[in-house]
Structures are given as C-alpha cells and as structure tokens.
Amino acid sequence: MKFNTQAIHAGYTIEPTTKSVAVPIYQTTSYAFDNTQHGADLFNLTVPGNIYTRIMNPTTDVLEQRVAALEGGVAALAVASGMAAITYAVQTLVQAGDNIIAASALYGGTYNLFAHTLPRQGIEVRFFDVKHPEQIAQLADEKTKLVFCESISNPAIKVADIPQIAQLAHQVGVPLIVDNTVPSPVLCRPLELGADIVIQSLTKYLGGHGNSLGGAIIDGGKFDWKAHSDRFPMLTTPDASYHGVNYSEHFGAAAFIARARVVPLRNTGAAISPMNVFLILQGIETVALRMQRHCENALAVAEFLQNHPQVAWVNYPGLANSPDKALIDRDFNGKASGLLSFGIKGGREAGAKFIDALKVFVRLVNIGDTRSLACHSATTTHRQLSSEELKTAGVSEDMVRLSVGIEDIDDLIADLAQALEAAK
Ligand SMILES: *Cc1c(COP(=O)(O)O)cnc(C)c1O
C-alpha cells in the first residue's frame, strides 16, 4: 500500500464483532485472562495478547501499526507525548555512566531534557553542530550509545543531512535517532535515509488539529544490536527485571520497541489514552492533504515576508534562495513543512507589538495545527535558556516563529501585513 492508503487503512481490519468502520475506542484499563495459564503465558511473553492499558491497548495498537507503516518501520510504540517518546527512546539504550551525542539545534523541551535532566541522572550529553556532523567522530567513545538529531529542527529550522549523520553514527557503532516531527513522514522518511529510529510528536502534524498530545517511537529494525553487544547489553543479554528475557533473541528486529514497552513505559507509565489515540488516528487520515496545504501556504508567507521592508531575515528552507533548499529537494520531496521564522526589524519590542496585533494567527506555543500560530521563542518556549544557550540553540531575540496553518492564504497574508504595520 502507498502512503495515503496506509494513512487510512494500515493496522485496522474491520472489527468482526461489531463491524465498526471507525477504529473502536477501547476505553478499558485491563483485559480478562481465560485462566491462570493464559495469564502466565501473557506475562511470560509466550503468547501475544493484552494485559493492561499502561503497556498495550487495541486502539493504540492500530495507531502503532499505522505510524510504523507511514515511517517505513518494523514496529512502533505510542506514548503520552513526544517528550515521553524521546525520554523512552533514550532510556531503552542508555544508563548512568553512558553518554549520547545530540545536535544542539533542538526543540526546547528536548534541549532541557538533554542539557539539564539527563546529566543529573548520570547521562552525559555531548552536543554537535548539526551543520558539522564530522564532530561526531571526535565526541564518541566506548560509552556512547546513540546519536540524536531533528530532521528539520524546531524552532531554529536547521535541516539535517540525515544520510551523512547516519553514516557517521554507524562508523562509531551507534544508532541514529531522528525526531521527524516537523516534516512528518509525508515529506521525509528518515529510516529510508539511513536513520535507525524515528520519533514523532503526534501532537503536531500527524494529529494535526491541536486537540491531543501523543508521541511515538518507530524502529526501522535494521540496527544490528547483536553485532554491538558489548555496547548494548540491555538488548542482547537476559533482563532480570523481565523474566530473563533476551530482547534481541526473543523479538529479533523488534527488540528495541519491545524493551521500550516493557521497561521504560511499563515502569514509568507515560501511557497514551485511547481517546487521544482515536483523535490522532482521525488526523492521520488526512495528513498528506493537510501537509500539502501547509507547505504551499508557508512558502507563500515566506515569499511575502522576504519582500517586506520591516523584515530583516526569513528562514524557510523551501525558499529558492535558502542554503538548505538542495537538501529539501533531495530528502524532503522538495517541500519544507509549515514552520518558518523571521527577524522583525526593531527587535524584541517590535516583535511583541507584532505578536499582539495578530488577529488570525493565534498566539501560542505549538506547531502543526490546522490553525496558523505565532510565537516569540525568546520569551516563551526558550525563556529558561541563557543568551549563550539561546545562541547554541539558534534562537535570536528578534525571532518570530510561525506555524502556518491551512486557512486561505489571502487571510493569512492580510493578517501579517496589518500586524507588521502595527509594529512600525
Ligand atoms: C513538540 C515537539 C516535541 C515534543 O512533543 P510533545 O508532544 O509536545 O511532548 C518534540 N520534538 C519536536 C520537534 C517538537 O516540535
């Protein structure tokens, strides 16, 4: 099946009891065992089946199969948010004393997790410049467990050269994890470009309507854990915390997702609610159609801003004169998603006036909604960061970030024009 067919059908065959066409919402915490032996077999992972909604649910299972299909992976795990997905992906491979290598241009929440929370738990995070991935070789040592980057970073909008970064990660013997939230699998499929594991914040384009949080980890199933068993004993030796299971032996290509489910998710519990899963599944059915409009509208907005006298700079990798346009053409189907940023002349003060004058663009800190959204990162998402950290994260004080929605483009341009006038 091709992408749009998968977006509507993957993971669900009409449920035989009720013949429900829409994916049913299994709003249940637990599932009855046929008898003691059945319960024991389920816990031993010797028969497939449901136990408890913290670790699996039939509605969630459809979502997991669907996002795995859309990203071209072998298995997926859905959790309560994008941040939970990132945390669990790291915790599946890493423990105190280890280190990871991450691009410094990151989503604000991820940056805080990596720069502040993980180090307090004994995990060192070594940052590299996503535009200089050759730094990975110098940063890596025998305690390095993974390389992490965003395909298109939010909010700095830097485009990663995924094939090159994947090759450098593999040279040091570790998998590449790519947060593919901004382009969504409609524009970019990192697993086909050499990445090993993909993260999606389902909250953004896949859900797409600004109504539910969710996150997913998708495994391409290609990284050979056994060939690197000294580095990844968690996946290649018996796990005492789970009946001595050896994940690579037992689950083969799906070992990573299996451990993510039965260790971090089971033991720390950021489970997604079946209702959110249902809403996200509704969003996924139309994601390719919406993405097309997001991209068209964002390009039109970028071109308008680029020619506006009050605008100092525009960062939209879909612009013909963007230094990232070649990467966008090669790896992103020529389209650059709905996220763009620009510098308003007059800095912080003009930025605040501009934001306050907007009438159609909504002032908030989200992306990937049908609605157009605007935010001033330095005073909101990134306000905990020092000026030095802002610089590393690629966030300047005059930067306004737009997530361009799917409204009529004339209304969006008119709104930006009047707000720029008000900011004079
Ligand atoms: C929003 C976002 C996240 C976090 O997702 P939540 O669902 O809000 O937890 C992670 N990465 C990127 C690129 C994001 O835009």
Side-chain angles (χ1 to χ4, degrees), residues 79-86 106-110 148 150-155 179-183 199-204 212-216 339 365-368 401:
V79 292
S81 68
M83 286 316 304
I86 294 168
L106 290 171
Y107 175 68
T110 312
F148 185 100
E150 296 179 3
S151 47
I152 299 180
S153 71
N154 170 19
D179 180 339
N180 194 36
T181 299
V182 172
I199 302 290
Q200 278 290 340
S201 166
L202 304 169
T203 315
K204 313 295 172 56
S212 310
L213 274 103
L339 199 60
V365 295
N366 185 28
I367 62 162
R401 184 178 59 148

Side-chain angles (χ1 to χ4, degrees), residues 72 107 119 133 145 161 169 172 198 228 247 267 299 308 327 330 348 351 389:
Y107 175 68
K145 297 298 159 95
D161 186 334
V172 297
V198 164
H228 301 90
Y247 297 98
N267 296 346
L299 182 60
H308 198 284
L327 272 180
R330 193 189 71 189
R348 195 178 264 260
E389 286 177 317

Side-chain angles (χ1 to χ4, degrees), residues 152-418:
I152 299 180
S153 71
N154 170 19
I157 318 182
K158 292 190 182 179
V159 183
D161 186 334
I162 297 168
Q164 190 190 11
I165 298 172
Q167 197 193 2
L168 290 158
H170 296 159
Q171 266 166 24
V172 297
V174 302
L176 172 63
I177 302 185
V178 174
D179 180 339
N180 194 36
T181 299
V182 172
S184 89
V186 178
L187 305 182
C188 176
R189 310 227 301 171
L191 299 176
E192 287 170 3
L193 298 171
D196 302 285
I197 290 152
V198 164
I199 302 290
Q200 278 290 340
S201 166
L202 304 169
T203 315
K204 313 295 172 56
Y205 289 103
L206 286 170
H209 296 73
N211 58 33
S212 310
L213 274 103
I217 310 170
I218 304 102
D219 182 8
K222 291 206 193 94
F223 192 84
D224 190 348
W225 309 107
K226 282 200 226 163
H228 301 90
S229 61
D230 288 351
R231 210 182 277 269
F232 301 106
M234 284 166 169
L235 288 172
T236 59
T237 57
D239 183 353
S241 83
Y242 212 89
H243 320 293
V245 71
N246 177 322
Y247 297 98
S248 353
E249 294 292 328
H250 196 93
F251 296 97
F256 177 86
I257 292 297
R259 184 171 198 275
R261 186 184 302 280
V262 303
V263 180
L265 177 59
R266 183 181 66 138
N267 296 346
T268 73
I272 188 166
S273 104
M275 184 67 201
N276 277 18
V277 169
F278 176 81
L279 291 166
I280 291 164
L281 283 168
Q282 304 313 294
I284 288 177
E285 293 190 3
T286 57
V287 66
L289 285 171
R290 285 184 287 105
M291 213 60 203
Q292 194 175 333
R293 176 68 79 88
H294 280 294
C295 294
E296 280 167 25
N297 278 359
L299 182 60
V301 164
E303 285 169 348
F304 164 78
L305 290 170
Q306 197 171 37
N307 295 319
H308 198 284
Q310 275 163 270
V311 172
W313 53 269
V314 178
N315 183 7
Y316 183 63
L319 280 170
N321 60 359
S322 162
D324 280 331
K325 182 67 165 61
L327 272 180
I328 290 293
D329 286 342
R330 193 189 71 189
D331 295 341
F332 297 76
N333 270 315
K335 299 198 178 74
S337 192
L339 199 60
L340 66 91
S341 59
F342 68 96
I344 186 161
K345 288 185 186 161
R348 195 178 264 260
E349 203 187 324
K353 273 197 204 158
F354 168 82
I355 294 271
D356 286 341
L358 289 167
K359 296 194 172 98
V360 178
F361 278 79
V362 185
R363 288 169 282 275
L364 52 69
V365 295
N366 185 28
I367 62 162
D369 194 322
T370 48
R371 280 154 284 264
S372 288
L373 314 167
C375 113
H376 184 232
S377 299
T379 56
T380 52
T381 45
H382 285 62
R383 68 173 299 127
Q384 285 91 353
L385 275 60
S386 67
S387 323
E388 203 45 50
E389 286 177 317
L390 279 179
K391 221 181 263 163
T392 346
V395 178
S396 60
E397 307 243 322
D398 66 342
M399 181 176 110
V400 175
R401 184 178 59 148
L402 302 180
S403 170
V404 181
I406 60 173
E407 300 97 332
D408 283 299
I409 186 63
D410 294 349
D411 293 328
L412 299 182
I413 301 267
D415 192 33
L416 296 170
Q418 67 80 23

